[in-house]
Amino acid sequence: MNQHPHRASLRKLTLCLLGTASVSAMSLGPAFAQEVAATPAGTGAAQTVVVTGLRASLESALNAKRQDSGIVDVIKSEDMGKFPDTNLAESLQRVPGVVIDRDAGEGRSITVRGLGQDFTRVRINGIEGLATTGGTDSSGGTNRGRGFDFNVFASELFSALTVRKSSSADVDEGSLGATVDLQTLRPFDLRGFNATVALKGKYNDGSEKTDPRGAFMISNTFFDRKVGVLVSGAYSKRRVLEDGFSSVRWDNGPSSGGWCAPQGMAANPANSTATTCGPAAQGAERLPNTPANIAAYNAASDPNNFHPRLPRYGRLTHDQDRLGLTGSVQWRPQQGTLLTFDMLYSKLDATRQEDFLQATSFSRSASQGGKPQVGVLEAEYDQNGSLLYGRYNNVDIRSEQRYDELKTTFTQPTLTLEHKLSDTLSMSAKYGRAESKFRNPVQTTVTLDALNVDNYSIDFRNDSRRPVISYPFDVNGGTLGLIGVPQVASGTQPTTVPNTTTSEIRIRPQGTDNVNNVAQFDLAWEASDIFSFKGGVNSKKYSSDTYEFRRVNQNDTIFAPPAGATGLTSNISGFGSNFGMPAGSPTGWVIPNLQAIAAAYDIYCNCIKSGPAGGPGDFTLSSIENGNARGNNRSVTEKSDGLYLMGEFRYDLWNIPLRGNFGVRHVKTELETLGYQAAGGGTAVKVEHDYKDTLPSFNLTANLTDEFIVRVGAAKVMTRPQLGFLSPGGSIATTGNLSINTGNPFLKPFRAKTFDTSFEYYFKNKAFVGLGLFQKNIDTYIQSLRTNVAFRDSGLPLSLLPANFTGEEVFQLTAPVNTDGGKLKGFEISYQQPFTFLPGWGKNFGTLLNYTKVSSKIEYLVSPTSDAKIIDDLLNLSPKAWNATFFYDDGKFSARVSGAKRSGFVTRVPGQNNNDVEGKNETFNVDLSVSYKVNENLEFTLEGVNLTNEESDQFISRTRNSVVVNNVTGREYLFGLRYKF
């Protein structure tokens, strides 16, 4: 058998793993390498041709796709490793139809064919798992749902990813979008002894920090390949600065009680005097009754004109350590029997410090000294109602710092037994336990404040994403400080200052546990050369527990600093150097010194330091009896028992080879939810509920020619409701954004009918072009419905409010409901081509291209008391996405450049604060990878990640596209080496 010239000398097993996570297909067994063995007549000797390098992984992944009976996409480890991917999400974005969302510039979650992370199941070594961590509020905060946080894992730990886009009866229920299979490397995938180590340094041009990244793998087989052992690990550190502007949404003129009316006009707020906004004691003066002031007030009060609620510059400092380990032991006691034990461990330790310089008045009511105290000096809006320029008096300015310590620990042992009972009958049994523990033991926010500042301005006229904000004092000086509640010597100690928001210390430790126990047993019978049958049963018990503590003082107020306290402030500098801030913007400001403040106030004592219980000196924490924390204390236990029967066939019809499967899965879900309602300071409520689903599926593949394949698939599918929606309890937030949240444990699951078609042409030289068509008829959808109501109209008792509230305050009431859903449809185009037809060195080039277009029409209710609807896209659905990779690989030198484009998408419908939608604008990320093999053992690598320094750009309102978040995290460059022993 003739050998390719680049393959002839490459016979030995190689694992170019880790760091750049390159698993060379020449070192892998039949699952990954293209091994072709033949025994010529009379020789008795096997000859093997082994394809190596990047092309081997592409060919291997393409062959896996070609041979599957369903519609799948596959990535092999060489494919991931040669991309500059820091985690699995960034590897998965190369798959057609898959787009990702990022946190701190790193991929965190995925959306498949327009369906977000709640609709995607993830299995690790065949066992469904759920890894969760925390994030910034703008990126979703702490993950208390079903979505999988891929940033928990390094891509070095895995050898293959499979995205299953069509359904079959033998694949567990729970996905409307896709089932993603993550596979770690096993010793029988390799031959003999293998050891690889990789080391890298990573430089971020925003933080100007260089961090280490390293990995290793050791594997060997013993006793004539009857026993195999493999251990691998990966460690990385990441330090990032995230700079930008945010607004915490936009609201219209009359919101939060409206603006302070100039003198001579009807008083607003009602307790104003002739010359002051609100009580005279606050000293917030009303503007003179001039035509200019009246015109500015009237323009700002127009309900069609919108302004940022909390305009702020922000710096976020991320520090992250990620450790991952895998172990695998395989034992083949006899031919036809294989026992495999896999272990996966991952630990993600991180700290995050968020520093904001912001105006707080525009989102606060009169009782908080907010917007009704603000006088409008100038107000200019564009034709869509977006603020272009505003200048104001009596604005409260705040320097806010939040500090988080975050830790996720994920463990998953899996035991798999495969046994051939006879020539035609085989069985497999699997048991695994996936456990994810997330802890946020420190989440503390402290503030410095300056009240009723005059001549504050914000200017969007030259840049709608980066405004110029003018502060009428030196933000690096002493104007901002700790403003406490006065401590009285006798009588009742107030917890707040009327008509004022003083400085705050918020303490909110929290955590989430997810445990999934899975047991499965399958039988497969080859009835004939044409038909075979599979059947099985599985049992899953999934539990999710989440908790949160907050201060008993739900206003989070404080007294003045203790006598003699010093060093309570610090400063940041160099802000915006990587963000392109306009001239005149502050490059630094005074910030709280959390460590000094924590020591001065002894804030972590969980005790009363001074004053009465519940007062500004009370740092006692509470949970279920705390109205602000109660809603995040809840648990869900789901037990699902399923069984399936599936037939598989291979048959030639009119000389057309057909293959496929048909079957049905039946599953019963038993649900037990526990939450806490407000009555009695936190009353536990337990609800039990169950439902059944029968899910038929069908897949057919026709090889119309040797090169042309057509696939069709149809199925009924379901996804269980979001965890946060199932709690029978609720929560009330009386600080920050006023809100009421409640759940609904009787929600029906998402249910849909799916239809898939794929046309695939595999032409010579391992090239491919494909067209995929899909439609999902979503029959049952779940929507979080929000409406603004005065608290006294919510049905909850006024006794739940702090003493300074009247009940007239407007809260956002949020509750989940089932709706009718709608249709989702789209197509994918894929193209893969090594340019082997070119002469000379041109044959070493190649490309991978894909394009996806998706559309949907989901009916969203607007109000619980109205039949009005908004018809818009499914949440997290990007109508258009494409990926392009161009590569060069001559066996010694390899280079790739990859671009990923995702169009804008909505994240919330209806939007909050009188807006139709909220969402994220389009992104375009460019990555680069270069490697050079010195010899068979040593390889040097150079990578560039996020070379465009892409902005994370969130918006509110389709017509205005008003900026909510616009941050950057910098470019990353990695240089390293891999050595194979």
Side-chain angles (χ1 to χ4, degrees):
M1 182 178 292
N2 293 326
Q3 296 182 338
H4 192 287
H6 291 301
R7 304 170 191 163
S9 63
L10 302 175
R11 297 265 193 166
K12 299 176 64 177
L13 303 169
T14 305
L15 184 63
C16 298
L17 183 138
L18 318 162
T20 56
S22 174
V23 178
S24 175
M26 66 183 172
S27 69
L28 303 178
F32 303 100
Q34 293 277 300
E35 292 192 336
V36 182
T39 305
T43 67
Q47 296 183 351
T48 303
V49 174
V50 182
V51 181
T52 66
L54 165 60
R55 282 195 172 88
S57 68
L58 297 179
E59 292 177 15
S60 179
L62 199 61
N63 283 339
K65 174 183 177 68
R66 184 174 188 171
Q67 294 165 12
D68 202 283
S69 294
I71 299 174
V72 304
D73 284 288
V74 181
I75 303 176
K76 298 297 186 181
S77 50
E78 169 86 12
D79 203 11
M80 288 189 295
K82 290 295 185 178
F83 285 126
D85 299 326
T86 58
N87 68 10
L88 293 172
E90 293 169 24
S91 299
L92 284 166
Q93 72 174 332
R94 316 299 176 188
V95 171
V98 177
V99 292
I100 70 172
D101 208 1
R102 296 173 183 265
D103 182 37
E106 187 179 41
R108 180 179 181 183
S109 61
I110 69 170
T111 294
V112 183
R113 289 181 164 181
L115 292 155
Q117 60 176 352
D118 285 323
F119 302 100
T120 300
R121 293 175 56 255
V122 177
R123 301 190 301 187
I124 303 174
N125 295 329
I127 295 295
E128 183 175 357
L130 179 59
T132 63
T133 187
T136 60
D137 288 344
S138 62
S139 67
T142 296
N143 182 357
R144 296 186 177 93
R146 297 184 190 274
F148 193 95
D149 287 337
F150 287 90
N151 56 340
V152 172
F153 301 105
S155 59
E156 294 93 327
L157 300 178
F158 297 88
S159 61
L161 309 180
T162 301
V163 181
R164 303 185 183 278
K165 298 177 179 177
S166 62
S167 298
S168 58
D170 61 338
V171 176
D172 298 354
E173 78 291 336
S175 168
L176 261 66
T179 295
V180 178
D181 279 316
L182 313 180
Q183 182 64 55
T184 60
L185 199 64
R186 291 169 169 169
F188 284 174
D189 295 332
L190 312 172
R191 294 187 181 277
F193 175 78
N194 292 267
T196 303
V197 64
L199 298 173
K200 286 184 181 181
K202 178 168 63 177
Y203 175 78
N204 183 284
D205 69 359
S207 65
E208 299 182 344
K209 303 285 187 181
T210 300
D211 298 315
R213 187 179 180 102
F216 74 93
M217 190 283 304
I218 301 174
S219 175
N220 205 352
T221 57
F222 311 92
F223 309 115
D224 196 24
R225 286 185 61 83
K226 286 185 171 59
V227 176
V229 179
L230 181 147
V231 177
S232 73
Y235 170 80
S236 65
K237 186 174 184 63
R238 187 170 187 259
R239 290 176 291 176
V240 175
L241 291 182
E242 183 175 355
D243 282 356
F245 170 80
S246 59
S247 66
V248 194
R249 302 182 303 277
W250 290 51
D251 212 339
N252 67 3
S255 65
S256 301
W259 307 94
C260 175
Q263 297 177 27
M265 300 184 70
N268 182 47
N271 58 355
S272 298
T273 71
T275 59
T276 63
C277 305
Q282 265 66 55
E285 296 182 356
R286 296 174 71 177
L287 294 174
N289 191 305
T290 66
N293 289 340
I294 293 173
Y297 171 77
N298 287 335
S301 300
D302 188 333
N304 296 313
N305 287 338
F306 285 72
H307 60 83
R309 298 176 66 251
L310 215 67
R312 60 190 189 178
Y313 296 134
R315 162 166 289 177
L316 288 73
T317 304
H318 305 270
D319 193 336
Q320 172 185 290
D321 290 85
R322 181 168 51 207
L323 172 67
L325 297 170
T326 75
S328 182
V329 178
Q330 291 186 289
W331 178 38
R332 186 180 286 115
Q334 62 184 30
Q335 191 68 28
T337 302
L338 178 62
L339 184 66
T340 302
F341 176 75
D342 296 304
M343 184 68 188
L344 173 63
Y345 171 85
S346 184
K347 184 178 181 181
L348 182 68
D349 281 320
T351 62
R352 183 178 64 249
Q353 181 173 310
E354 305 177 20
D355 292 294
F356 296 107
L357 180 62
Q358 59 197 13
T360 60
S361 294
F362 304 132
S363 64
R364 299 186 182 274
S365 64
S367 64
Q368 300 167 297
K371 189 172 173 180
Q373 286 191 1
V374 176
V376 185
L377 295 165
E378 296 181 72
E380 182 181 343
Y381 299 84
D382 68 14
Q383 60 183 1
N384 292 320
S386 285
L387 179 71
L388 291 174
Y389 175 75
R391 189 164 62 91
Y392 310 91
N393 279 355
N394 304 325
V395 178
D396 296 341
I397 306 300
R398 167 170 284 184
S399 173
E400 176 177 302
Q401 180 181 104
R402 171 175 155 180
Y403 176 75
D404 284 81
E405 294 180 1
L406 312 132
K407 178 184 293 185
T408 296
T409 304
F410 181 91
T411 57
Q412 181 182 303
T414 306
L415 185 64
T416 305
L417 172 64
E418 302 167 79
H419 179 62
K420 199 167 182 64
L421 299 169
S422 69
D423 290 341
T424 59
L425 185 64
S426 60
M427 59 79 66
S428 67
K430 188 185 298 283
Y431 175 77
R433 175 185 173 90
E435 183 173 8
S436 173
K437 291 185 176 181
F438 168 71
R439 294 292 181 266
N440 193 177
V442 177
Q443 185 191 109
T444 303
T445 301
V446 292
T447 71
L448 307 175
D449 293 87
L451 303 179
N452 295 332
V453 171
D454 290 343
N455 208 33
Y456 167 90
S457 68
I458 181 168
D459 189 349
F460 289 95
R461 289 175 295 189
N462 292 322
D463 193 329
S464 65
R465 320 319 278 182
R466 301 174 180 83
V468 177
I469 302 177
S470 177
Y471 300 91
F473 59 88
D474 182 5
V475 295
N476 290 288
T479 304
L480 288 159
L482 290 167
I483 300 175
V485 176
Q487 194 164 6
V488 299
S490 61
T492 302
Q493 171 64 56
T495 57
T496 61
V497 176
N499 305 291
T500 303
T501 298
T502 59
S503 297
E504 300 172 0
I505 295 179
R506 306 174 200 150
I507 307 172
R508 301 177 180 179
Q510 55 192 280
T512 300
D513 290 342
N514 290 282
V515 180
N516 205 25
N517 288 282
V518 180
Q520 181 156 334
F521 179 81
D522 300 271
L523 282 173
W525 175 45
E526 297 180 19
S528 68
D529 292 339
I530 297 175
F531 286 107
S532 62
F533 295 93
K534 292 176 67 176
V537 295
N538 71 312
S539 180
K540 293 184 289 186
K541 185 177 181 180
Y542 168 69
S543 63
S544 176
D545 294 275
T546 179
Y547 69 86
E548 181 175 0
F549 288 83
R550 297 195 185 189
R551 288 180 64 187
V552 170
N553 172 11
Q554 297 189 49
N555 293 107
D556 294 320
T557 52
I558 58 174
F559 288 129
T566 59
L568 302 184
T569 64
S570 181
N571 288 82
I572 65 169
S573 60
F575 169 77
S577 59
N578 201 37
F579 185 55
M581 292 298 297
S585 302
T587 59
W589 58 86
V590 63
I591 62 174
N593 183 337
L594 174 59
Q595 187 174 1
I597 291 173
Y601 283 90
D602 195 12
I603 67 175
Y604 298 123
C605 71
N606 194 21
C607 68
I608 300 174
K609 293 300 295 183
S610 60
D618 190 348
F619 293 97
T620 307
L621 302 180
S622 59
S623 56
I624 60 174
E625 63 277 3
N626 188 310
N628 287 337
R630 183 180 300 117
N632 285 328
N633 288 270
R634 60 179 187 263
S635 66
V636 174
T637 301
E638 285 176 346
K639 188 175 186 301
S640 57
D641 294 317
L643 58 90
Y644 77 93
L645 182 64
M646 185 176 80
E648 296 181 294
F649 59 89
R650 290 179 175 271
Y651 184 71
D652 288 359
L653 180 65
W654 300 311
N655 293 323
I656 298 176
L658 302 178
R659 54 192 165 92
N661 58 65
F662 56 91
V664 63
R665 171 175 285 271
H666 180 79
V667 61
K668 179 181 179 181
T669 303
E670 297 176 337
L671 177 71
E672 181 181 282
T673 62
L674 176 68
Y676 297 89
Q677 294 184 343
T683 301
V685 179
K686 182 182 291 186
V687 174
E688 295 181 353
H689 180 49
D690 65 77
Y691 49 87
K692 299 177 181 179
D693 286 274
T694 300
L695 307 170
S697 60
F698 171 74
N699 291 280
L700 174 66
T701 298
N703 286 64
L704 299 184
T705 69
D706 289 342
E707 296 83 17
F708 186 52
I709 296 176
V710 176
R711 306 179 195 266
V712 295
K716 280 188 176 182
V717 295
M718 60 86 80
T719 291
R720 296 178 175 90
Q722 296 96 323
L723 295 176
F725 288 171
L726 293 173
S727 173
S731 65
I732 303 170
T734 57
T735 61
N737 300 317
L738 305 183
S739 61
I740 302 168
N741 289 273
T742 183
N744 180 359
F746 297 103
L747 288 170
K748 299 177 183 177
F750 299 90
R751 293 187 172 110
K753 302 179 184 70
T754 66
F755 306 93
D756 297 275
T757 306
S758 181
F759 303 92
E760 303 167 6
Y761 183 59
Y762 299 82
F763 47 105
K764 62 181 180 179
N765 299 321
K766 304 301 180 181
F768 165 81
V769 62
L771 170 65
L773 308 175
F774 53 89
Q775 178 168 314
K776 302 178 188 290
N777 298 336
I778 303 174
D779 302 320
T780 307
Y781 191 70
I782 300 173
Q783 173 193 341
S784 181
L785 192 61
R786 293 171 174 83
T787 185
N788 293 328
V789 298
F791 187 88
R792 65 171 62 256
D793 297 326
S794 68
L796 297 172
L798 295 179
S799 61
L800 299 176
L801 294 176
N804 64 315
F805 277 56
T806 65
E808 298 298 333
E809 292 82 7
V810 176
F811 283 69
Q812 282 194 337
L813 176 62
T814 304
V817 294
N818 280 116
T819 62
D820 293 336
K823 291 185 178 181
L824 178 152
K825 59 184 178 181
F827 67 86
E828 302 166 350
I829 300 175
S830 305
Y831 175 62
Q832 177 176 320
Q833 175 76 70
F835 297 156
T836 52
F837 54 85
L838 293 177
W841 52 266
K843 65 184 177 182
N844 298 317
F845 285 96
T847 187
L848 293 87
L849 307 172
N850 65 68
Y851 174 83
T852 304
K853 185 173 182 179
V854 190
S855 63
S856 67
K857 297 298 179 184
I858 303 296
E859 295 183 354
Y860 296 93
L861 297 176
V862 176
S863 166
T865 60
S866 169
D867 292 331
K869 297 179 180 179
I870 294 176
I871 298 177
D872 212 310
D873 284 342
L874 191 71
L875 301 187
N876 300 302
L877 181 151
S878 288
K880 298 177 183 179
W882 58 261
N883 282 271
T885 297
F886 296 94
F887 65 86
Y888 176 89
D889 185 11
D890 62 12
K892 196 173 187 67
F893 176 78
S894 177
R896 305 187 193 191
V897 60
S898 301
K901 177 72 172 288
R902 178 181 188 180
S903 64
F905 57 98
V906 295
T907 57
R908 178 171 286 163
V909 182
Q912 302 173 87
N913 305 104
N914 303 297
N915 291 274
D916 56 350
V917 300
E918 300 172 36
K920 294 188 177 182
N921 284 314
E922 66 178 30
T923 57
F924 178 57
N925 290 86
V926 177
D927 305 320
L928 173 71
S929 176
V930 177
S931 66
Y932 178 75
K933 280 188 176 181
V934 178
N935 52 44
E936 289 296 310
N937 303 101
L938 179 63
E939 183 176 10
F940 289 100
T941 61
L942 174 66
E943 301 168 53
V945 180
N946 187 29
L947 295 179
T948 57
N949 193 22
E950 189 68 9
E951 300 169 358
S952 173
D953 187 358
Q954 302 179 26
F955 72 91
I956 192 166
S957 170
R958 280 201 183 277
T959 55
R960 300 193 320 273
N961 191 27
S962 299
V963 59
V964 173
V965 174
N966 189 261
N967 290 353
V968 297
T969 54
R971 304 167 183 86
E972 294 184 341
Y973 304 95
L974 299 90
F975 178 77
L977 60 85
R978 295 192 300 261
Y979 191 83
K980 178 182 69 70
F981 296 90

